[in-house]
Amino acid sequence: MFILCLLVSLISSIDVSAIAVSRSEYPLSQGTAHGPSTRLTIGNAVIGPDGFVRPATVVNGMFPGPLIAAQKGDLFNIEVVNQLSDESMFLQTSVHWHGISQNRSNYADGTAFVTQCPITQNHSFLHTFTAQNQTGTFWYHSHFSSQYASITRTSHCDGLRGALIIYDPDDPLAHMYDVDDETTVISLADWYHVVSPKLLGVPSIADSMLINGLGRFVGGPPSDLAVINVTPGKRYRLRLIQMSCQSDVKFSIDGHSLTVIEADGQPTEPLVVDQLQILAGQRYSVILVADQSVTNYWVRGLPNTPGANYIGGVNSAILRYQGAPAVNPITVTLPSTNPLQETNLHALGSPGVPGTPGYGNADVNLDLEVSVKAPDFQFYINGITFGNTTLGNKTVPILLQILSGARQATELLPAGSVYVLEANKVVEVTIGMQSAIGGPHPIHLHGHAFDVVQSAGSNAYNYVNPVRRDVVSAGHPGQRTVIRFVTDNSGPWFLHCHIDWHLAAGFGVVFAESPADTPAYVDPIPAEWDRLCPIYDNQPNFTLPHIPNIQI
């Protein structure tokens, strides 16, 4: 059973558009990083990161949530505690560790109704997992999606998001930079002045773009902007994390080129660019060399919002050289002459694409055609919109279905949205945009990184040395992307659009890898996990008041 109380009218009745909040008036995650064994308490607070005050979902009282930092091979023990209390937003939660493959720990992936039931109020769940040999730039966010009509409960959009970095003591590209710490983690996130439950089912445009949790909105006060401090002559590894619910962002720094060395936790051959388009969920590491005049420079994060600009310091932060005065920059943005093109990115060391080269030559070839249908404007993949996972009055996440004996696609819910894949097969997935409006669509696969053998908007295939990542653009209607991966991680893994409103409208499928192997592969499952669904099912049922006929 699902619990949700929404009292959004209390917020909409308050005129706070003229109230500016200094960064000192609410906690920001600019302090010491947390280690791999930590507690994340999910709660509520009133904040104004762009000068507009609104209630939000915060982590340990912070927005963005605290940075979690680990070393290669560390064991993670992260307890997520639900202390949510604001009924204008969602009261249940789950936390997904975006980009972590969760090999042998599918139950810790944090994907509500796929790998677990949500964490209810005043309860907690301990996520224990190893990232094995993974290193790089990751993040965490809510992944609480409902059974009915695939509504995504977007506490991520209300503030539940933070960075997770795994440092590599033997980084083969370490010679390229001098500084790589909590001060060089850069978050990009769109921000809404209305709580996310009120935005479900209606077209929505973000009110501002935040860089490191600070920004301004059009017509708003000159609230504080994030400042990135550098020392002349030093080389910095900036870890860019795109935490938006919808917007994609063109990132640049006036007067500086950037060298890309990582995409989504995967090292790349160094590539010099002057601007990066970064979609929701994507991450890049770039090298910034502080070799310009000692002054202040605008950091640009332009969203794909109609009419977006930099007037009044919106969509901006400040790069400040040591010795420069604490004033706003006067630098001018110039048209990009060397923007990042995904087809120019190549995995470091050319690990190669698995399987036989050539389109359609994998062991398993899947074609996923995406469309949008009126009048409900739901997204459909091969004619199916992602549905619910209930049996009678019981919530049964897909992992629980598999552990209970379901093995075939015809036995697994949601019907038509689960694709069963055999173990140790090379899988090639073509994602075609038939009529999927609202692009470019960032497609994320849980449990795997994949090789991008065809990028959206390109006619070329690369089976030799393409970029390897876990979020890729599927482009706009009429375009497609092609990816490959190996089914070496038994369990159910979500493939979905990372625009929250699109996932809410059914844009997702699940790959169930070798279900017969899953019980042994993920054993032992914590007893805490077994208790999540009975506790959740014991909650009262509510109807979302502003979206008719949807019970959650």
Side-chain angles (χ1 to χ4, degrees), residues 265-335:
Q266 302 293 324
T268 67
E269 298 288 348
L271 177 68
V272 177
V273 300
D274 63 10
Q275 184 186 81
L276 300 88
Q277 182 183 24
I278 314 177
L279 276 60
Q282 291 184 327
R283 296 90 63 209
Y284 289 100
S285 280
V286 297
I287 304 301
L288 168 78
V289 180
D291 59 358
Q292 300 300 303
S293 300
V294 173
T295 187
N296 297 287
Y297 298 85
W298 284 119
V299 178
R300 315 282 187 173
L302 190 69
N304 61 332
T305 303
N309 55 53
Y310 305 111
I311 297 173
V314 299
N315 306 314
S316 301
I318 298 170
L319 180 75
R320 177 163 294 150
Y321 276 64
Q322 183 180 25
V327 297
N328 283 341
I330 58 172
T331 56
V332 177
T333 183
L334 298 174

Side-chain angles (χ1 to χ4, degrees), residues 369-382:
E369 295 297 323
V370 185
S371 60
V372 176
K373 297 181 182 180
D376 57 358
F377 292 99
Q378 289 287 108
F379 282 82
Y380 292 79
I381 297 180
N382 292 348

Side-chain angles (χ1 to χ4, degrees), residues 104-115:
R104 294 189 177 273
S105 54
N106 179 271
Y107 52 82
D109 192 49
T111 310
F113 308 111
V114 176
T115 64

